[in-house]
Amino acid sequence: MNHKRWLRPLALALLLGVAAAGLQARTPVDQLIVGFSMNNLLSLDPAAATGNDVVEINTNLYDYLIELDAKQVGKIVPGIAERWTVSPDGRTIRLALRQGVKFQSGNPLTAEDAAWSLQRVLKLNLAMASPWKSYGFTAKNVDKVVTAPDAATLVINLPAPTDPKMVLYTLATSVSAVILDRKKVLENEKNGDLGNAWLTTHAAGSGPFTLQEWRAKDTLIMNRFDGYWRGPAKMKRVVMRHMTESQTLRLMLERGDLDLASGMSVPDLEAMKKNPDAVVEAMRRGTMYYVAVSMKDPKFADRRVRLAMRKLIDYDGINTAVMPDYGVPNQRPVQLGLAATLPSPGYKLDVAGAKQLLAEAGFPNGFKTTIRVLADPPFINIATSLQSTLAQAGIQASVLSGTGNQVYGAMRERKFEILVGRGGGGVEPHPHGSLRALVLNPNNADAARLTNFQGWRTSFFSPELNQLIGEAEVERDEAKQTADYQEVQRLYDTQVGAIQPISQMVDTVVLRRDLRNYQAHPSATTRLRDVYKQR
Amino acid sequence: MPLSSIVTAPTLRAAGNRALSVVLTLLGLLLLTFVIGRVMPLDPVLSIVGPDADKSTYDQVFRQLGLDRPMPVQFGYYLRDLLHGDLGKAMLTGHRVTDDLARVLPATIELATMAILLGTCVGIPLGVYAATRKGRLADHVVRVISLFGYSTPVFWFGMMGLLVFYAWLDWAGGAGRVDLAFDGVVPTRTGLLLVDSAMAGDWEVFRSALKFLILPACILGLHSMAYISRMTRSFMLAQLSQEYITTARVKGLSERGVVWGHAFRNILVQLLTIIALAYGGLLEGAVLIETVFAWPGFGQYLTSSLLLGDMNAVMGCVLVVGVIFITLNLLSDALYRVFDPRTR
């Protein structure tokens, strides 16, 4: 047989293939193509939307009153509000709004829209009402405390004493604080739902992009809004694709069919770090990976057992082997980089010390227990490490892995023994954000069902800490406040809280090298208006 | 064949019984899914409100979803709505389940149809070829190919396919159904992108859709190809050892006539059944391929609904799968009756 007859076309095809593989940068130069898992993207309504993904999207569809600088943690910069003042008693925030801004519908943006948007969040009482309720806002009082005396002024009276800075941070970072086009939303209201059903899949904002289409778990397309008050965005379109497979993301990034991807697995991230066409960017978030124990369990109610648990975590091992690209070491309940953050307490794996404590507590041979954990990395890897270090002290722990629903559901019911999880608010660059979520427990009764407080979920109840956190929150002297928050951390250390942080979350995105001005934001309010491609 | 010879009183009665059993099967399926869904430790409320919501928000959403009513009442409401063609709202997307299904099903149908076409067109000749060369090298090669195709995880094939044909050779599209530049360019009529683009006369979109479809369809088709060729081979072997084949050969019929004219004609009905079942399997089993290729189809929808405990969506999916299998079964039965007079 004449081999040459088929060898030649084959060689040609292979050559062409290799040549084609060399072609890069295939996405259109004026469109940003993003790939990530949209499994957690359930609703676009700013009052109902949980999770970082929706924050990233809504940040570009809507405007915030004020914004947080992406590079300097804690620095507030103007958004729709040009100026803001806080009254001397710290109970009133007055914001002066920019005039002449128009929504994408053409309606003018006024302070009434801003007030109505905030009032709506509390009246609907959906997921995003949580931060506001923690400041004392309720569906009943919100009409009185959030007002617009004129079209250019928004006044927020704080119903309860708190640090007004914390409220400003929430205004700048919470997706619930975006300004909705009241007229447009009310046109689409059904059965008094304040437009909730419509806003699930639509948007009515003044941001740099308009929502063209969202097909759940498929594609989300945003178009440039040419009438944007800061001037039109650089990209004409942003296309987001639902992609759950890390290796597919990697192949598409390598081929240049994607500009940006998030949610990739560690091996793929490591591979992309070596790719000259890609940049891997890690961004620290405020939430912590932790090991929690339930103090409803008499064993863990004993401080010595909790202390033994603290000594049975292989912090170094976990942080070097499991956490790269997921988190950075942090053993405190306060996020890194704040003025109040104390240096690391330097906990280490200490099996002998733990054994001694366990013996003192009446468990010389350890005990049997269970670890609840999400089935995904890095959670499951942390749990496996914990399981083996616990075993060294005689504690036989079986690992129960499940979905977020099963793991955190059990925690909300206070029905768990040990849990490896992630949490802690931390959207606001303020110690109170993490402490409220991880430590505070205003009422330890089962009937109180304070499921939004992880302190309550673990049954860790410390009146001293509650009081100290409360005092620090309203302290107007910054130096004193910082000292108070440091005292909180020292006390938490001595009392051995039920939640032991191991690592602070890091979110890693991979971008093509030709992308410019992409600045991932610690609070997920990543703005795409200035992003462009240079080829 | 006159129609009246098929539609007789006994056949009508049989059809009535059949319809009743179909309805009862579907009802049982729904009840089972409903009970399992409620027993499973999945909490759709938590998926909606997030892990940090407080009690009042949680309770409010719990009531909004109707979960505060007793289980039989919930199921009763579900059936009542079902009779009106309403599968309820997908708790997590806020859309009607029927709308969601109308969106995701065509994507999977397009993929599975292409896959079964490829699987059948390659699988049947391979199986016949192997059977006629039983015990010889060709037979072994075909058996190895089908064993490989059947036992290798489709997920792995998907990844390898992407690596070779998309990333290296650039012969196929990557993830998704069509090049992003063509997304939403042709109006949606059937949801089948090849059909829609052809109807719109937009051949660029058609080419792009075909480029994206061909790889996942080939990989998915490989699995059914392996199955179909294996079954074809064994059906053919059974036929080829029959006396009438020997008679035909003795009468001097050509080998091609014996194989295709006699033996193959007799296995056609059996083949139809297994192809129908394989097709049903593809429709609901494309989950992994849809994940690898970010194919926005039924498989992805079903899994994500399951993981989040969105029972309205899950029950809608179960109903669809049930209906697909029952329809395919009925269809293959009907075909039996048409092609094989002995079953009438």
Side-chain angles (χ1 to χ4, degrees), chain A residues 72-276:
Chain A
Q72 296 179 59
V73 180
K75 187 183 171 199
I76 302 174
V77 294
I80 288 293
E82 289 174 301
R83 298 174 305 281
W84 55 95
T85 53
V86 178
S87 66
D89 66 353
R91 295 291 289 267
T92 304
I93 301 171
R94 183 176 278 270
L95 300 110
L97 272 56
R98 188 178 300 276
Q99 288 301 281
V101 176
K102 283 205 173 357
F103 285 111
Q104 291 154 4
S105 66
N107 295 330
L109 185 155
T110 64
E112 283 94 352
D113 291 295
W116 182 82
S117 302
L118 268 178
Q119 290 160 358
R120 176 179 179 275
V121 171
L122 283 142
K123 284 176 186 165
L124 283 174
N125 190 27
L126 294 170
M128 294 318 291
S130 298
W132 301 104
K133 284 193 278 187
S134 75
Y135 300 132
F137 293 88
T138 63
K140 276 188 189 145
N141 71 16
V142 72
D143 281 345
K144 276 188 214 125
V145 294
V146 179
T147 52
D150 59 66
T153 314
L154 180 74
V155 179
I156 301 175
N157 286 303
L158 303 183
T162 182
D163 185 349
K165 197 155 194 188
M166 183 73 189
V167 180
L168 283 172
Y169 283 153
T170 303
L171 276 179
T173 54
S174 171
V175 69
S176 62
V178 299
I179 306 165
L180 304 178
D181 184 341
R182 178 177 48 153
K183 212 169 145 206
K184 174 107 184 169
V185 173
L186 286 178
E187 277 167 18
N188 293 288
E189 183 177 32
K190 261 192 195 146
N191 310 323
D193 72 345
L194 297 174
N196 173 234
W198 183 75
L199 277 175
T200 302
T201 50
H202 296 83
S206 59
F209 293 95
T210 61
L211 181 68
Q212 184 195 328
E213 195 183 10
W214 176 39
R215 298 193 292 267
K217 300 193 175 73
D218 179 359
T219 311
L220 186 143
I221 302 172
M222 299 193 280
N223 291 327
R224 174 165 65 201
F225 169 42
D226 289 323
Y228 186 52
W229 60 275
R230 281 185 168 106
K234 297 210 165 69
M235 288 286 184
K236 207 168 90 190
R237 271 201 338 164
V238 177
V239 181
M240 297 178 163
R241 273 232 167 144
H242 172 54
M243 300 175 69
T244 47
E245 244 309 296
S246 174
Q247 294 196 34
T248 311
L249 284 169
R250 177 177 151 193
L251 284 178
M252 291 196 69
L253 267 172
E254 285 173 346
R255 289 291 284 119
D257 281 337
L258 276 183
D259 297 310
L260 186 68
S262 65
M264 286 172 68
S265 72
V266 169
D268 291 322
L269 285 174
E270 292 303 315
M272 288 312 284
K273 281 179 190 166
K274 294 179 194 125
N275 188 321

Side-chain angles (χ1 to χ4, degrees), chain B residues 274-292:
Chain B
I274 62 146
I275 291 171
L277 291 178
Y279 185 56
L282 287 181
L283 278 178
E284 51 134 1
V287 176
L288 292 175
I289 276 298
E290 289 188 359
T291 308
V292 174

Side-chain angles (χ1 to χ4, degrees), chain A residues 324-523:
Chain A
D325 299 314
Y326 288 119
V328 288
N330 183 9
Q331 300 175 336
R332 299 268 190 208
V334 170
Q335 57 173 302
L336 300 167
L338 304 181
T341 314
L342 284 181
S344 168
Y347 306 137
K348 284 209 172 334
L349 177 66
D350 172 12
V351 179
K355 271 184 166 168
Q356 194 188 338
L357 282 161
L358 285 173
E360 283 171 24
F363 301 102
N365 302 315
F367 47 81
K368 278 191 178 170
T369 185
T370 53
I371 306 173
R372 280 183 189 266
V373 64
L374 292 183
D376 314 309
F379 299 96
I380 189 77
N381 314 66
I382 300 175
T384 321
S385 161
L386 182 64
Q387 186 184 32
S388 76
T389 45
L390 288 178
Q392 292 176 32
I395 300 178
Q396 289 173 293
S398 50
V399 174
L400 282 179
S401 66
T403 62
N405 233 317
Q406 294 161 328
V407 175
Y408 294 112
M411 197 187 189
R412 288 169 69 94
E413 297 301 319
R414 297 176 132 189
K415 284 179 187 154
F416 72 101
E417 290 172 66
I418 304 175
L419 185 141
V420 171
R422 189 176 72 196
V427 183
E428 304 92 353
H430 193 292
H432 187 73
S434 320
L435 294 174
R436 181 183 62 200
L438 294 176
V439 180
L440 201 64
N441 178 5
N443 180 352
N444 198 32
D446 276 349
R449 287 202 58 81
L450 302 178
T451 47
N452 48 327
F453 292 91
Q454 289 171 62
W456 178 86
R457 295 186 201 170
T458 59
S459 313
F460 174 73
F461 182 70
S462 162
E464 302 94 318
L465 272 168
N466 285 344
Q467 195 190 342
L468 203 52
I469 293 170
E471 281 169 17
E473 186 190 353
V474 296
E475 179 57 59
R476 303 283 291 139
D477 176 350
E478 258 185 56
K480 171 81 172 47
Q481 188 188 39
T482 302
D484 282 355
Y485 278 127
Q486 290 175 339
E487 184 53 29
V488 169
Q489 293 168 71
R490 279 189 282 267
L491 194 58
Y492 190 76
D493 189 69
T494 334
Q495 293 192 347
V496 192
I499 290 180
Q500 177 53 55
I502 301 171
S503 249
Q504 186 168 329
M505 183 185 167
V506 161
D507 216 0
T508 309
V509 292
V510 185
L511 24 143
R512 297 278 305 176
R513 194 168 284 283
D514 55 11
L515 219 55
R516 297 280 174 279
N517 284 352
Y518 180 84
Q519 180 63 54
H521 196 276
S523 305

